[in-house]
């Protein structure tokens, strides 16, 4: 059935509007069952085009970073249009006019419009008339739903109600998708935190076990001496954990935090197995917590797999300054011989990378036969 003109028979008009109402209802059911927002957006343009008896329809999404309207979905357009073509988001285009004014814009004669220019995209497809309605997102503008036609028929004010109904249903779907995505991200963050917590607990237990072994070898054959030495190291481990988690800010001053002192505190539980030397610039308190966790993770990995896993192994940590950047060199020696680098990064290495990235720091690893050499640079 063709679209009715202003002078069309009332029976044709009624049948046309009833069909549009059915399409609105069907689209609502589709939204409830759809798995992803992309298929909802495509279906919205298909239904709008079908309900308006035109071949062309597009959903335009506003992009704040470029201040334009991107063709997010659509039907009837040439290949390479969807996801690529963009229109002005100002009153220079009918879609931009509708977006800025947040009102429907109906134009049956684009060639004679004085409110805006006809975009090149529409001219390339021979579009002669257009109807735009705003799409909102959480009470804020999202974009525009537009139908276009290359014939000389007429869109009517009654068509606005149909288009706006589709746009409103689409708005609800977009908001629901955003909520579901946020919930998914929260769940991912919770899963990541749980994985890191499990990893950290295992690491702490590994360190405690290593401290017990080290203390047994070093203590005199006296139960009290053994207990005192072990108690001191456990206390040092607790202090190092506080520093690593950012709970201990005693060393903060107006200049910042001394990373050399921070390193010594974090590595105190390992006694003379790890030496810390050098000097460098102070770092911010925001950078101190990730750095402490990275140092703690390096030591834990050494306990589990590296130089500290053997009785003779030791680590030297040296600080210096290179081009105004604080540089940490972690050098392991006399541990198990490294035949070849790991095939892939383990969880500990990935966690170190993840902790360094937000503070603009980098790490380079050199798996030498004598042991790991890691260089951390804080810019």
């Amino acid at each position: 059935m063709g679209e009715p003109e202003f002078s069309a028979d009332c029976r044709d008009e009624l049948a046309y509007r009833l069909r549009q109402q059915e399409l609105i209802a069907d689209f609502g059911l589709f939204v409830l069952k759809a798995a992803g927002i992309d298929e909802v957006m495509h279906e919205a343009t298909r239904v709008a085009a079908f309900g308006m008896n035109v071949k062309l329809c597009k959903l335009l999404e506003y992009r704040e970073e470029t201040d334009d309207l991107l063709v997010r979905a659509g039907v009837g357009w040439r290949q390479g249009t969807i996801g690529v073509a963009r229109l002005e988001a100002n009153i220079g285009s009918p879609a931009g006019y509708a977006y800025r004014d947040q009102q429907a814009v109906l134009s049956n004669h684009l060639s004679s419009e004085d409110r805006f220019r006809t975009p090149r995209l529409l001219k390339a497809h021979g579009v002669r008339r257009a109807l735009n309605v705003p799409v909102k997102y959480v009470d804020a503008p999202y974009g525009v739903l537009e139908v276009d036609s290359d014939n000389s028929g007429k869109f009517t004010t009654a068509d606005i109600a149909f288009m706006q109904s589709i746009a409103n249903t689409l708005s609800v779907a977009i908001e629901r998708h955003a909520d579901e995505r946020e919930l998914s991200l929260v769940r991912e963050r919770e899963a990541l935190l749980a994985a890191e917590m499990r990893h950290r607990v295992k690491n702490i237990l590994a360190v405690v076990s290593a401290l017990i072994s080290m203390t047994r070898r070093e203590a005199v054959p006296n139960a009290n001496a053994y207990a005192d030495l072990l108690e001191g190291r456990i206390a040092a481990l607790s202090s190092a954990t506080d520093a690593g988690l950012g709970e201990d800010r005693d060393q903060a001053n107006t200049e910042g935090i001394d990373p050399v002192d921070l390193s010594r505190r974090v590595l105190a539980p390992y006694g003379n197995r790890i030496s810390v030397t050098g000097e460098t610039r102070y770092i911010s308190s925001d950078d101190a917590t990730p750095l402490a966790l990275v140092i703690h993770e390096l030591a834990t990995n050494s306990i589990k797999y590296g130089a500290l896993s053997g009785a003779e192994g030791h680590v030297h940590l040296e600080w210096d300054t290179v081009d105004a950047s604080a540089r940490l060199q972690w050098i392991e020696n006399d541990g198990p011989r490294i035949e070849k680098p790991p095939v892939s990064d383990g969880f500990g290495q990935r966690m170190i990378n993840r902790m360094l990235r937000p503070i603009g720091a980098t790490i380079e690893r050199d798996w030498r036969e004598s042991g790991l050499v890691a260089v951390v640079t804080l810019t």
Side-chain angles (χ1 to χ4, degrees):
M1 177 185 294
E3 56 194 296
E5 305 293 341
F6 289 117
S7 58
D9 186 277
C10 291
R11 290 171 295 182
D12 293 338
E13 174 77 16
L14 177 61
Y16 189 71
R17 300 307 168 194
L18 287 174
R19 186 186 68 166
Q20 288 183 339
Q21 292 301 312
E22 291 175 359
L23 290 173
I24 292 170
D26 290 344
F27 179 60
L29 290 175
F30 180 90
V31 168
L32 292 175
K33 299 177 181 178
I37 192 62
D38 288 340
E39 61 177 314
V40 170
M41 290 179 172
H42 174 77
E43 181 67 6
T45 60
R46 188 197 69 80
V47 170
F50 183 70
M52 296 289 290
N53 200 40
V54 298
K55 297 178 181 178
L56 297 169
C57 180
K58 59 183 177 292
L59 171 65
L60 296 158
E61 177 183 16
Y62 177 71
R63 300 186 299 179
E64 185 175 4
E65 63 275 13
T66 51
D67 190 30
D68 60 16
L69 293 163
L70 176 71
V71 180
R72 184 76 163 74
V75 292
W77 304 96
R78 294 171 186 168
Q79 187 174 4
T81 300
I82 309 301
V84 176
R86 59 187 183 86
L87 279 69
E88 295 179 1
N90 53 39
I91 59 174
S93 69
Y97 198 97
Y99 177 79
R100 294 298 179 186
D101 198 41
Q102 284 298 289
Q103 297 290 331
V105 174
L106 187 156
S107 177
N108 284 314
H109 305 285
L110 287 174
S111 60
S112 59
E113 273 289 352
D114 56 8
R115 295 175 294 176
F116 38 72
R117 300 181 301 274
T118 302
R120 284 181 296 178
L121 176 65
L122 273 59
K123 289 182 178 179
H125 287 77
V127 174
R128 301 171 67 179
R129 55 195 174 106
L131 173 56
N132 290 266
V133 293
V135 178
K136 295 185 177 182
Y137 167 66
V138 192
D139 297 327
Y142 171 85
V144 174
L145 182 65
E146 175 178 344
V147 287
D148 303 294
S149 178
D150 59 358
N151 63 44
S152 58
K154 292 184 178 69
F155 296 134
T156 70
T157 54
D159 290 321
I160 296 176
F162 168 71
M163 287 290 293
Q164 195 63 67
S165 295
I166 297 296
N168 291 345
T169 304
L170 180 58
S171 296
V172 173
I174 293 172
E175 292 181 21
R176 187 187 71 176
H177 172 74
D179 291 342
E180 291 175 349
R181 177 173 174 77
E182 179 62 27
L183 180 59
S184 176
L185 291 175
V186 169
R187 288 173 177 168
E188 288 179 8
R189 286 194 294 268
E190 289 178 348
L192 178 60
L193 288 173
E196 290 189 359
M197 183 61 71
R198 289 193 298 270
H199 177 74
R200 190 150 300 283
V201 169
K202 290 180 181 179
N203 281 351
I204 291 294
L205 293 175
V207 170
V208 170
S209 177
L211 291 179
I212 292 173
S213 298
M214 289 167 56
T215 305
R216 182 182 292 115
R217 290 194 300 269
E218 296 171 9
V220 296
N222 179 290
N224 289 334
Y226 176 79
D228 289 344
L229 187 56
L230 181 58
E231 183 179 4
R233 284 182 167 163
I234 296 297
L237 178 61
S238 176
S239 177
T241 302
D242 287 343
L245 293 176
E247 297 175 359
D248 191 344
R249 296 297 190 192
D250 292 341
Q251 60 174 336
N253 55 41
T254 55
E255 295 180 285
I257 293 178
D258 180 4
V260 180
D261 183 50
L262 177 65
S263 301
R264 291 191 176 117
R265 299 181 66 198
V266 172
L267 299 173
Y270 305 92
N272 60 9
R273 297 291 300 277
I274 303 179
S275 61
V276 180
T277 62
E279 60 181 27
T280 189
R281 65 171 176 81
Y282 279 35
I283 62 175
S284 70
S285 57
D286 290 337
D287 291 352
T289 296
L291 175 62
L293 290 172
V294 166
I295 294 172
H296 194 281
E297 190 68 28
L298 287 170
T300 301
N301 288 341
S302 184
I303 281 279
K304 294 165 69 175
Y305 314 111
L308 298 184
S309 66
E312 304 299 325
H314 62 278
V315 177
H316 178 59
L317 187 157
E318 182 176 358
W319 281 99
D320 62 0
T321 304
V322 178
D323 297 329
S325 296
R327 183 177 69 173
L328 175 161
Q329 296 185 76
W330 175 275
I331 306 169
E332 299 190 19
N333 283 295
D334 298 330
R337 181 178 177 181
I338 298 178
E339 301 293 340
K340 58 182 179 178
V343 177
S344 60
D345 291 345
F347 187 87
Q349 293 186 52
R350 295 197 302 272
M351 192 166 71
I352 288 174
N353 296 340
R354 187 164 55 247
M355 286 186 289
L356 290 176
R357 195 175 301 119
I359 64 175
T362 60
I363 183 170
E364 296 179 2
R365 300 177 179 87
D366 183 7
W367 303 93
R368 301 177 183 176
E369 288 187 2
S370 56
L372 169 67
V373 175
V375 179
V376 176
T377 304
L378 291 87
T379 56

